[in-house]
Short mmCIF file of all heavy atoms in Angstrom, two decimals:
data_model
loop_
_atom_site.label_atom_id
_atom_site.label_comp_id
_atom_site.label_asym_id
_atom_site.label_seq_id
_atom_site.Cartn_x
_atom_site.Cartn_y
_atom_site.Cartn_z
N MET A 1 85.99 96.38 88.91
CA MET A 1 86.46 97.25 89.98
C MET A 1 87.84 96.79 90.42
O MET A 1 88.09 95.62 90.58
CB MET A 1 85.46 97.16 91.14
CG MET A 1 85.85 97.96 92.32
SD MET A 1 85.14 99.58 92.13
CE MET A 1 85.41 100.25 93.70
N TRP A 2 88.75 97.72 90.64
CA TRP A 2 90.08 97.37 91.08
C TRP A 2 90.38 98.06 92.39
O TRP A 2 89.73 99.01 92.77
CB TRP A 2 91.13 97.71 90.02
CG TRP A 2 90.99 99.06 89.42
CD1 TRP A 2 90.27 99.40 88.32
CD2 TRP A 2 91.58 100.27 89.87
NE1 TRP A 2 90.37 100.72 88.05
CE2 TRP A 2 91.18 101.29 88.99
CE3 TRP A 2 92.41 100.61 90.92
CZ2 TRP A 2 91.58 102.60 89.14
CZ3 TRP A 2 92.80 101.92 91.07
CH2 TRP A 2 92.39 102.89 90.19
N GLY A 3 91.35 97.56 93.07
CA GLY A 3 91.71 98.14 94.35
C GLY A 3 92.71 97.26 95.06
O GLY A 3 93.33 96.40 94.46
N MET A 4 92.82 97.47 96.34
CA MET A 4 93.82 96.75 97.12
C MET A 4 93.12 95.77 98.07
O MET A 4 93.39 95.76 99.26
CB MET A 4 94.66 97.75 97.91
CG MET A 4 95.45 98.70 97.06
SD MET A 4 97.12 98.21 96.69
CE MET A 4 97.83 98.02 98.30
N SER A 5 92.20 94.96 97.57
CA SER A 5 91.52 93.99 98.42
C SER A 5 92.43 92.82 98.78
O SER A 5 92.20 92.16 99.76
CB SER A 5 90.25 93.50 97.74
OG SER A 5 90.57 92.85 96.53
N LYS A 6 93.47 92.59 97.99
CA LYS A 6 94.46 91.54 98.26
C LYS A 6 95.74 92.22 98.71
O LYS A 6 96.00 93.37 98.36
CB LYS A 6 94.71 90.72 97.00
CG LYS A 6 93.50 89.95 96.55
CD LYS A 6 93.83 89.13 95.33
CE LYS A 6 92.61 88.35 94.87
NZ LYS A 6 92.90 87.54 93.70
N PRO A 7 96.60 91.51 99.44
CA PRO A 7 97.86 92.12 99.86
C PRO A 7 98.72 92.48 98.66
O PRO A 7 98.66 91.83 97.62
CB PRO A 7 98.53 91.04 100.70
CG PRO A 7 97.69 89.83 100.62
CD PRO A 7 96.44 90.15 99.90
N PRO A 8 99.53 93.53 98.78
CA PRO A 8 100.40 93.92 97.67
C PRO A 8 101.47 92.87 97.40
O PRO A 8 101.71 91.98 98.22
CB PRO A 8 101.02 95.24 98.14
CG PRO A 8 100.90 95.21 99.61
CD PRO A 8 99.70 94.38 99.94
N THR A 9 102.10 93.00 96.26
CA THR A 9 103.17 92.08 95.87
C THR A 9 104.39 92.88 95.45
O THR A 9 104.28 94.06 95.12
CB THR A 9 102.70 91.16 94.73
OG1 THR A 9 103.68 90.18 94.47
CG2 THR A 9 102.41 91.93 93.46
N GLY A 10 105.54 92.26 95.44
CA GLY A 10 106.76 92.92 94.99
C GLY A 10 107.14 92.46 93.59
O GLY A 10 107.05 91.27 93.27
N GLN A 11 107.53 93.42 92.75
CA GLN A 11 108.01 93.11 91.42
C GLN A 11 109.30 93.86 91.18
O GLN A 11 109.47 94.99 91.65
CB GLN A 11 106.98 93.47 90.35
CG GLN A 11 105.79 92.54 90.36
CD GLN A 11 104.91 92.74 89.14
OE1 GLN A 11 105.25 93.42 88.19
NE2 GLN A 11 103.74 92.15 89.18
N SER A 12 110.19 93.26 90.43
CA SER A 12 111.49 93.84 90.16
C SER A 12 111.39 95.04 89.23
O SER A 12 110.71 94.98 88.20
CB SER A 12 112.38 92.76 89.54
OG SER A 12 113.63 93.29 89.23
N ALA A 13 112.06 96.12 89.60
CA ALA A 13 112.12 97.34 88.79
C ALA A 13 113.59 97.77 88.70
O ALA A 13 114.38 97.45 89.58
CB ALA A 13 111.29 98.44 89.42
N ARG A 14 113.94 98.48 87.65
CA ARG A 14 115.32 98.95 87.46
C ARG A 14 115.44 100.42 87.82
O ARG A 14 114.65 101.25 87.36
CB ARG A 14 115.76 98.77 86.01
CG ARG A 14 116.01 97.35 85.66
CD ARG A 14 117.44 97.01 85.95
NE ARG A 14 117.66 95.59 85.74
CZ ARG A 14 118.63 94.94 86.31
NH1 ARG A 14 119.48 95.54 87.08
NH2 ARG A 14 118.78 93.66 86.09
N CYS A 15 116.44 100.76 88.61
CA CYS A 15 116.72 102.14 88.96
C CYS A 15 117.17 102.88 87.71
O CYS A 15 118.12 102.44 87.04
CB CYS A 15 117.80 102.19 90.03
SG CYS A 15 118.44 103.84 90.37
N PRO A 16 116.54 104.00 87.36
CA PRO A 16 116.93 104.73 86.15
C PRO A 16 118.31 105.40 86.27
O PRO A 16 118.94 105.66 85.26
CB PRO A 16 115.82 105.76 85.97
CG PRO A 16 115.21 105.90 87.31
CD PRO A 16 115.39 104.60 88.02
N GLU A 17 118.77 105.66 87.47
CA GLU A 17 120.06 106.33 87.67
C GLU A 17 121.23 105.34 87.71
O GLU A 17 122.29 105.59 87.16
CB GLU A 17 120.05 107.14 88.98
CG GLU A 17 119.06 108.27 88.97
CD GLU A 17 119.39 109.34 87.94
OE1 GLU A 17 120.58 109.65 87.76
OE2 GLU A 17 118.45 109.85 87.31
N PHE A 18 121.02 104.20 88.39
CA PHE A 18 122.12 103.27 88.64
C PHE A 18 121.95 101.95 87.89
O PHE A 18 122.84 101.12 87.88
CB PHE A 18 122.20 103.02 90.16
CG PHE A 18 123.50 102.51 90.64
CD1 PHE A 18 124.62 103.31 90.65
CD2 PHE A 18 123.62 101.20 91.09
CE1 PHE A 18 125.83 102.82 91.11
CE2 PHE A 18 124.83 100.71 91.55
CZ PHE A 18 125.94 101.53 91.56
N ASN A 19 120.78 101.73 87.29
CA ASN A 19 120.43 100.49 86.58
C ASN A 19 120.48 99.27 87.49
O ASN A 19 120.68 98.16 87.04
CB ASN A 19 121.30 100.29 85.34
CG ASN A 19 120.67 99.29 84.39
OD1 ASN A 19 119.45 99.22 84.28
ND2 ASN A 19 121.49 98.52 83.71
N ALA A 20 120.32 99.49 88.78
CA ALA A 20 120.30 98.39 89.75
C ALA A 20 118.88 97.88 89.91
O ALA A 20 117.91 98.60 89.70
CB ALA A 20 120.84 98.87 91.09
N GLU A 21 118.77 96.62 90.29
CA GLU A 21 117.47 96.03 90.52
C GLU A 21 116.94 96.48 91.88
O GLU A 21 117.65 96.50 92.86
CB GLU A 21 117.59 94.50 90.49
CG GLU A 21 116.26 93.80 90.40
CD GLU A 21 116.44 92.32 90.15
OE1 GLU A 21 116.98 91.95 89.10
OE2 GLU A 21 116.05 91.55 91.04
N ALA A 22 115.67 96.87 91.91
CA ALA A 22 115.00 97.29 93.13
C ALA A 22 113.63 96.62 93.17
O ALA A 22 113.17 96.08 92.17
CB ALA A 22 114.87 98.80 93.17
N MET A 23 112.98 96.68 94.32
CA MET A 23 111.69 96.02 94.48
C MET A 23 110.58 97.06 94.57
O MET A 23 110.59 97.91 95.46
CB MET A 23 111.70 95.17 95.76
CG MET A 23 110.47 94.31 95.92
SD MET A 23 110.24 93.06 94.64
CE MET A 23 111.72 92.09 94.79
N ALA A 24 109.64 96.99 93.63
CA ALA A 24 108.46 97.85 93.64
C ALA A 24 107.32 97.09 94.31
O ALA A 24 107.04 95.95 93.94
CB ALA A 24 108.08 98.23 92.22
N ILE A 25 106.67 97.70 95.27
CA ILE A 25 105.52 97.10 95.94
C ILE A 25 104.27 97.68 95.28
O ILE A 25 103.99 98.87 95.38
CB ILE A 25 105.53 97.41 97.46
CG1 ILE A 25 106.86 96.98 98.08
CG2 ILE A 25 104.34 96.75 98.14
CD1 ILE A 25 107.19 95.50 97.92
N ILE A 26 103.54 96.80 94.60
CA ILE A 26 102.36 97.21 93.82
C ILE A 26 101.20 96.28 94.13
O ILE A 26 101.40 95.21 94.70
CB ILE A 26 102.67 97.23 92.31
CG1 ILE A 26 103.09 95.85 91.80
CG2 ILE A 26 103.76 98.26 92.00
CD1 ILE A 26 103.29 95.76 90.30
N PRO A 27 99.97 96.66 93.75
CA PRO A 27 98.83 95.78 93.99
C PRO A 27 99.02 94.41 93.33
O PRO A 27 99.63 94.30 92.26
CB PRO A 27 97.66 96.54 93.35
CG PRO A 27 98.08 97.96 93.37
CD PRO A 27 99.56 97.94 93.16
N GLN A 28 98.49 93.40 93.97
CA GLN A 28 98.67 92.02 93.51
C GLN A 28 98.13 91.78 92.11
O GLN A 28 98.68 91.01 91.36
CB GLN A 28 98.02 91.05 94.50
CG GLN A 28 98.43 89.63 94.29
CD GLN A 28 97.94 88.74 95.40
OE1 GLN A 28 96.78 88.85 95.82
NE2 GLN A 28 98.79 87.89 95.90
N ASN A 29 97.08 92.44 91.74
CA ASN A 29 96.46 92.21 90.42
C ASN A 29 96.95 93.22 89.39
O ASN A 29 96.19 93.69 88.55
CB ASN A 29 94.94 92.25 90.55
CG ASN A 29 94.45 93.59 91.08
OD1 ASN A 29 95.19 94.34 91.71
ND2 ASN A 29 93.19 93.89 90.85
N SER A 30 98.25 93.55 89.43
CA SER A 30 98.81 94.52 88.49
C SER A 30 100.19 94.09 88.02
O SER A 30 100.76 93.14 88.53
CB SER A 30 98.88 95.91 89.15
OG SER A 30 99.76 95.88 90.24
N PHE A 31 100.72 94.84 87.05
CA PHE A 31 102.06 94.56 86.53
C PHE A 31 102.74 95.88 86.20
O PHE A 31 102.06 96.89 85.94
CB PHE A 31 102.00 93.64 85.31
CG PHE A 31 101.13 94.16 84.19
CD1 PHE A 31 101.68 94.89 83.15
CD2 PHE A 31 99.77 93.93 84.19
CE1 PHE A 31 100.88 95.38 82.12
CE2 PHE A 31 98.96 94.42 83.17
CZ PHE A 31 99.53 95.14 82.13
N LEU A 32 104.06 95.90 86.22
CA LEU A 32 104.82 97.11 85.94
C LEU A 32 104.82 97.42 84.45
O LEU A 32 104.87 96.51 83.62
CB LEU A 32 106.26 96.96 86.42
CG LEU A 32 106.44 96.91 87.93
CD1 LEU A 32 107.90 96.66 88.27
CD2 LEU A 32 105.96 98.19 88.59
N ILE A 33 104.77 98.71 84.14
CA ILE A 33 104.88 99.19 82.77
C ILE A 33 105.87 100.34 82.74
O ILE A 33 106.20 100.92 83.78
CB ILE A 33 103.51 99.62 82.19
CG1 ILE A 33 102.92 100.78 82.99
CG2 ILE A 33 102.54 98.46 82.13
CD1 ILE A 33 101.68 101.39 82.36
N LYS A 34 106.35 100.71 81.57
CA LYS A 34 107.35 101.78 81.47
C LYS A 34 106.74 103.16 81.32
O LYS A 34 107.33 104.15 81.72
CB LYS A 34 108.29 101.50 80.29
CG LYS A 34 109.15 100.29 80.52
CD LYS A 34 110.14 100.09 79.41
CE LYS A 34 110.94 98.83 79.71
NZ LYS A 34 112.23 98.83 79.08
N SER A 35 105.58 103.25 80.74
CA SER A 35 105.00 104.54 80.39
C SER A 35 104.00 105.04 81.44
O SER A 35 103.04 104.34 81.78
CB SER A 35 104.29 104.41 79.04
OG SER A 35 103.55 105.58 78.76
N GLU A 36 104.20 106.25 81.90
CA GLU A 36 103.25 106.88 82.82
C GLU A 36 101.92 107.15 82.12
O GLU A 36 100.86 107.13 82.74
CB GLU A 36 103.83 108.18 83.35
CG GLU A 36 102.91 108.90 84.32
CD GLU A 36 103.49 110.18 84.86
OE1 GLU A 36 104.52 110.65 84.35
OE2 GLU A 36 102.91 110.72 85.80
N GLU A 37 101.99 107.37 80.83
CA GLU A 37 100.80 107.71 80.03
C GLU A 37 99.70 106.65 80.13
O GLU A 37 98.52 106.97 80.19
CB GLU A 37 101.22 107.87 78.57
CG GLU A 37 100.10 108.30 77.65
CD GLU A 37 100.62 108.51 76.24
OE1 GLU A 37 101.51 109.36 76.07
OE2 GLU A 37 100.15 107.82 75.34
N ASN A 38 100.07 105.38 80.18
CA ASN A 38 99.10 104.28 80.22
C ASN A 38 98.93 103.69 81.61
O ASN A 38 98.27 102.67 81.76
CB ASN A 38 99.53 103.17 79.26
CG ASN A 38 99.58 103.66 77.83
OD1 ASN A 38 98.72 104.43 77.40
ND2 ASN A 38 100.58 103.25 77.09
N ALA A 39 99.52 104.31 82.62
CA ALA A 39 99.52 103.75 83.97
C ALA A 39 98.18 103.95 84.68
O ALA A 39 97.51 104.96 84.51
CB ALA A 39 100.63 104.38 84.79
N ASP A 40 97.82 102.97 85.49
CA ASP A 40 96.68 103.08 86.39
C ASP A 40 97.11 103.61 87.75
O ASP A 40 96.29 104.05 88.54
CB ASP A 40 96.00 101.73 86.57
CG ASP A 40 95.33 101.23 85.31
OD1 ASP A 40 94.77 102.06 84.57
OD2 ASP A 40 95.36 100.01 85.06
N GLY A 41 98.41 103.51 88.04
CA GLY A 41 98.92 103.96 89.32
C GLY A 41 100.43 104.00 89.31
O GLY A 41 101.08 103.65 88.32
N LYS A 42 101.00 104.45 90.43
CA LYS A 42 102.44 104.55 90.55
C LYS A 42 102.84 104.25 91.99
O LYS A 42 102.03 104.39 92.91
CB LYS A 42 102.93 105.93 90.13
CG LYS A 42 102.30 107.06 90.91
CD LYS A 42 102.64 108.39 90.29
CE LYS A 42 101.82 109.50 90.97
NZ LYS A 42 101.96 110.76 90.28
N ALA A 43 104.08 103.85 92.17
CA ALA A 43 104.61 103.53 93.50
C ALA A 43 106.04 104.03 93.61
O ALA A 43 106.81 103.92 92.65
CB ALA A 43 104.57 102.02 93.72
N TRP A 44 106.38 104.60 94.74
CA TRP A 44 107.77 105.00 94.98
C TRP A 44 108.60 103.77 95.27
O TRP A 44 108.15 102.85 95.98
CB TRP A 44 107.86 105.95 96.17
CG TRP A 44 107.45 107.35 95.85
CD1 TRP A 44 106.30 107.97 96.22
CD2 TRP A 44 108.20 108.29 95.08
NE1 TRP A 44 106.28 109.25 95.72
CE2 TRP A 44 107.43 109.48 95.02
CE3 TRP A 44 109.42 108.26 94.43
CZ2 TRP A 44 107.86 110.62 94.34
CZ3 TRP A 44 109.84 109.40 93.76
CH2 TRP A 44 109.07 110.56 93.72
N VAL A 45 109.80 103.73 94.71
CA VAL A 45 110.73 102.61 94.89
C VAL A 45 112.05 103.19 95.38
O VAL A 45 112.50 104.22 94.88
CB VAL A 45 110.95 101.86 93.55
CG1 VAL A 45 111.87 100.67 93.75
CG2 VAL A 45 109.62 101.41 92.96
N ASN A 46 112.67 102.53 96.34
CA ASN A 46 113.97 102.95 96.86
C ASN A 46 115.06 102.05 96.29
O ASN A 46 114.98 100.82 96.41
CB ASN A 46 114.01 102.85 98.38
CG ASN A 46 113.05 103.81 99.04
OD1 ASN A 46 112.92 104.95 98.62
ND2 ASN A 46 112.37 103.35 100.07
N CYS A 47 116.08 102.65 95.67
CA CYS A 47 117.21 101.89 95.16
C CYS A 47 118.19 101.65 96.30
O CYS A 47 118.66 102.60 96.93
CB CYS A 47 117.90 102.64 94.02
SG CYS A 47 119.35 101.78 93.38
N ARG A 48 118.51 100.41 96.57
CA ARG A 48 119.46 100.09 97.65
C ARG A 48 120.90 100.38 97.27
O ARG A 48 121.75 100.54 98.12
CB ARG A 48 119.32 98.62 98.05
CG ARG A 48 118.01 98.32 98.70
CD ARG A 48 117.97 96.89 99.15
NE ARG A 48 116.68 96.60 99.77
CZ ARG A 48 116.38 95.45 100.30
NH1 ARG A 48 117.25 94.47 100.28
NH2 ARG A 48 115.20 95.26 100.83
N GLU A 49 121.17 100.45 95.98
CA GLU A 49 122.55 100.68 95.52
C GLU A 49 122.94 102.15 95.60
O GLU A 49 123.99 102.49 96.12
CB GLU A 49 122.72 100.19 94.08
CG GLU A 49 122.53 98.70 93.91
CD GLU A 49 123.61 97.90 94.60
OE1 GLU A 49 124.78 98.33 94.61
OE2 GLU A 49 123.28 96.82 95.15
N CYS A 50 122.09 103.05 95.07
CA CYS A 50 122.46 104.47 95.04
C CYS A 50 121.69 105.32 96.04
O CYS A 50 122.02 106.47 96.25
CB CYS A 50 122.29 105.03 93.63
SG CYS A 50 120.57 105.17 93.07
N GLY A 51 120.64 104.78 96.65
CA GLY A 51 119.87 105.51 97.64
C GLY A 51 118.79 106.42 97.07
O GLY A 51 118.06 107.06 97.83
N GLU A 52 118.69 106.52 95.76
CA GLU A 52 117.69 107.39 95.14
C GLU A 52 116.32 106.73 95.16
O GLU A 52 116.19 105.51 95.19
CB GLU A 52 118.07 107.69 93.69
CG GLU A 52 119.30 108.55 93.54
CD GLU A 52 119.11 109.95 94.10
OE1 GLU A 52 118.04 110.56 93.86
OE2 GLU A 52 120.02 110.43 94.78
N ARG A 53 115.29 107.57 95.13
CA ARG A 53 113.91 107.10 94.99
C ARG A 53 113.45 107.40 93.57
O ARG A 53 113.82 108.42 93.00
CB ARG A 53 113.00 107.84 95.96
CG ARG A 53 113.15 107.38 97.38
CD ARG A 53 112.28 108.16 98.33
NE ARG A 53 110.95 108.36 97.80
CZ ARG A 53 109.90 108.72 98.50
NH1 ARG A 53 110.02 108.93 99.76
NH2 ARG A 53 108.73 108.89 97.94
N PHE A 54 112.66 106.50 93.02
CA PHE A 54 112.10 106.72 91.69
C PHE A 54 110.69 106.15 91.64
O PHE A 54 110.31 105.34 92.49
CB PHE A 54 113.00 106.10 90.61
CG PHE A 54 113.16 104.61 90.70
CD1 PHE A 54 112.35 103.76 89.97
CD2 PHE A 54 114.13 104.05 91.52
CE1 PHE A 54 112.50 102.37 90.05
CE2 PHE A 54 114.30 102.68 91.59
CZ PHE A 54 113.48 101.85 90.85
N LEU A 55 109.93 106.57 90.66
CA LEU A 55 108.56 106.09 90.49
C LEU A 55 108.52 104.90 89.54
O LEU A 55 109.18 104.89 88.51
CB LEU A 55 107.67 107.20 89.93
CG LEU A 55 107.26 108.27 90.93
CD1 LEU A 55 106.53 109.39 90.20
CD2 LEU A 55 106.38 107.70 92.02
N ALA A 56 107.75 103.91 89.94
CA ALA A 56 107.45 102.76 89.07
C ALA A 56 105.95 102.85 88.75
O ALA A 56 105.13 103.13 89.63
CB ALA A 56 107.77 101.45 89.79
N PHE A 57 105.61 102.64 87.50
CA PHE A 57 104.23 102.75 87.06
C PHE A 57 103.65 101.35 86.85
O PHE A 57 104.34 100.46 86.37
CB PHE A 57 104.16 103.55 85.76
CG PHE A 57 104.75 104.92 85.93
CD1 PHE A 57 106.04 105.20 85.48
CD2 PHE A 57 104.05 105.92 86.57
CE1 PHE A 57 106.58 106.45 85.64
CE2 PHE A 57 104.59 107.17 86.74
CZ PHE A 57 105.86 107.44 86.29
N PHE A 58 102.38 101.19 87.22
CA PHE A 58 101.74 99.88 87.05
C PHE A 58 100.38 100.03 86.40
O PHE A 58 99.79 101.10 86.37
CB PHE A 58 101.64 99.14 88.39
CG PHE A 58 100.81 99.83 89.44
CD1 PHE A 58 99.44 99.65 89.49
CD2 PHE A 58 101.41 100.64 90.39
CE1 PHE A 58 98.67 100.27 90.47
CE2 PHE A 58 100.66 101.26 91.38
CZ PHE A 58 99.29 101.09 91.41
N GLN A 59 99.94 98.91 85.88
CA GLN A 59 98.63 98.82 85.22
C GLN A 59 97.92 97.60 85.79
O GLN A 59 98.56 96.58 86.02
CB GLN A 59 98.83 98.68 83.72
CG GLN A 59 97.61 98.95 82.90
CD GLN A 59 97.99 99.04 81.43
OE1 GLN A 59 98.61 98.14 80.90
NE2 GLN A 59 97.62 100.12 80.79
N PHE A 60 96.64 97.72 86.00
CA PHE A 60 95.86 96.59 86.52
C PHE A 60 95.55 95.60 85.42
O PHE A 60 95.30 95.98 84.28
CB PHE A 60 94.56 97.08 87.16
CG PHE A 60 94.79 97.78 88.47
CD1 PHE A 60 94.74 99.15 88.54
CD2 PHE A 60 95.07 97.07 89.61
CE1 PHE A 60 94.98 99.81 89.74
CE2 PHE A 60 95.31 97.70 90.81
CZ PHE A 60 95.26 99.09 90.87
N LYS A 61 95.57 94.32 85.78
CA LYS A 61 95.16 93.26 84.85
C LYS A 61 93.64 93.31 84.73
O LYS A 61 92.95 93.62 85.68
CB LYS A 61 95.58 91.89 85.38
CG LYS A 61 97.07 91.73 85.50
CD LYS A 61 97.43 90.40 86.12
CE LYS A 61 98.92 90.29 86.35
NZ LYS A 61 99.29 89.11 87.09
N GLU A 62 93.16 93.01 83.57
CA GLU A 62 91.69 93.03 83.36
C GLU A 62 91.06 91.74 83.70
O GLU A 62 91.59 90.74 83.82
CB GLU A 62 91.41 93.40 81.91
CG GLU A 62 91.87 94.82 81.65
CD GLU A 62 91.41 95.32 80.30
OE1 GLU A 62 90.39 94.83 79.79
OE2 GLU A 62 92.07 96.20 79.78
#
């Protein structure tokens, strides 16, 4: 069973528009992936450089 029983964590993600580093807040027992197809979830990320929002996809660790 997966969920948010632990506090979330921040992981570095790249803005697709500006290629700047941004912080994705995702569940602690997960990691970022590139493909939405294999994702268990997604999180909105704000780029501090260009101001755009983008989706980061994550997958839970087994």
Side-chain angles (χ1 to χ4, degrees):
M1 178 90 170
W2 47 271
M4 298 266 302
S5 62
K6 295 182 180 180
T9 187
Q11 289 191 11
S12 178
R14 288 271 174 203
C15 171
E17 296 296 320
F18 201 70
N19 199 34
E21 193 171 297
M23 188 63 59
I25 306 301
I26 60 174
Q28 194 171 45
N29 60 339
S30 64
F31 56 95
L32 291 176
I33 62 172
K34 293 185 181 204
S35 171
E36 180 179 12
E37 183 177 301
N38 299 321
D40 292 324
K42 57 190 171 189
W44 282 107
V45 182
N46 295 319
C47 178
R48 292 184 181 182
E49 296 294 323
C50 69
E52 292 295 317
R53 285 178 43 163
F54 63 94
L55 284 173
F57 302 101
F58 61 86
Q59 196 169 54
F60 288 102
K61 297 176 185 173
E62 294 189 26

